[in-house]
Amino acid sequence: MKVNKLVEIYAKANYAVSAVGAARGEAHHPGPLWYHAIGLFNAFYAINEELRKRTKNGTDVHLTAAVDAWWQTNRDVVSAFFGDARNTATHQGEIVTEAFVEWELDVANDTEHPIAKASVTVKNSTIKKMPGVEFLDLCERALTFMRDGVLAINADYKARGGIDHALPDNRYKNLF
């Protein structure tokens, strides 16, 4: 059985985008935020590696050409999302998630209420005391970009005459 590489990578990338939504419920808790940060960093890395390397471990020249073209166009964008932060966090353990408190103004009752939140810091990166919600927004943008990259690669692949690894047409497009 032949594995359809774009279908497989698209499924992983699409799930990773959904995983950010699941992580949002824990954005204000340092422990779970750390867990999700490591997982989302690694998902981004794995999707990137599969696109750039695994798709080339075959004989489909159309797939290799489509991936190469996408990578040449988007290399800087992909690198800009996290830089070396993923490597620093996952291989060196230089990631800190910490709790902090923000005070929310309650005008109607003439008072303030404490709101527990958490932030992410990765040593030697642009991620410094980034509130958990903002960090997850960054992860969502990065993973959505990669998922949409698979769609762009698929369109180019089909335009080049590729068949074996093409994403199937949307089976529901003519439902209504």
Side-chain angles (χ1 to χ4, degrees):
M1 181 174 132
K2 235 180 185 176
V3 172
N4 182 322
K5 293 177 183 178
L6 289 180
V7 165
E8 187 179 12
I9 295 169
Y10 182 80
K12 293 171 185 176
N14 196 46
Y15 182 80
V17 172
S18 299
V20 175
R24 288 192 185 282
E26 302 298 335
H28 303 303
H29 307 284
L33 181 59
W34 173 88
Y35 174 83
H36 289 295
I38 295 297
L40 295 170
F41 273 144
N42 281 328
F44 181 81
Y45 174 76
I47 293 163
N48 184 24
E49 288 295 301
E50 286 201 28
L51 274 177
R52 290 180 39 232
K53 296 185 178 164
R54 186 163 169 260
T55 54
K56 295 180 184 182
N57 292 337
T59 57
D60 193 324
V61 295
H62 301 303
L63 182 58
T64 299
V67 170
D68 282 343
W70 183 84
W71 179 249
Q72 292 305 317
T73 302
N74 295 291
R75 172 193 334 240
D76 293 338
V77 176
V78 171
S79 297
F81 280 115
F82 300 119
D84 292 331
R86 197 259 347 154
N87 190 52
T88 302
T90 62
H91 290 278
Q92 299 169 21
E94 296 288 352
I95 181 173
V96 175
T97 53
E98 54 191 338
F100 68 95
V101 174
E102 278 189 357
W103 290 87
E104 179 179 68
L105 187 60
D106 181 351
V107 176
N109 294 305
D110 192 30
T111 190
E112 291 181 314
H113 301 284
I115 306 291
K117 296 196 173 189
S119 67
V120 178
T121 299
V122 178
K123 186 177 181 180
N124 299 324
S125 79
T126 58
I127 300 171
K128 301 220 184 291
K129 294 203 178 278
M130 185 180 284
V133 172
E134 289 179 28
F135 176 77
L136 293 175
D137 288 345
L138 173 62
C139 290
E140 186 170 44
R141 285 191 307 274
L143 291 163
T144 298
F145 184 83
M146 297 306 284
R147 182 196 62 199
D148 293 350
V150 176
L151 295 175
I153 290 167
N154 181 63
D156 186 18
Y157 175 66
K158 286 180 173 180
R160 293 171 188 267
I163 298 168
D164 293 342
H165 298 284
L167 294 174
D169 290 331
N170 184 346
R171 63 183 172 168
Y172 303 113
K173 70 181 175 185
N174 294 319
L175 189 59
F176 298 105

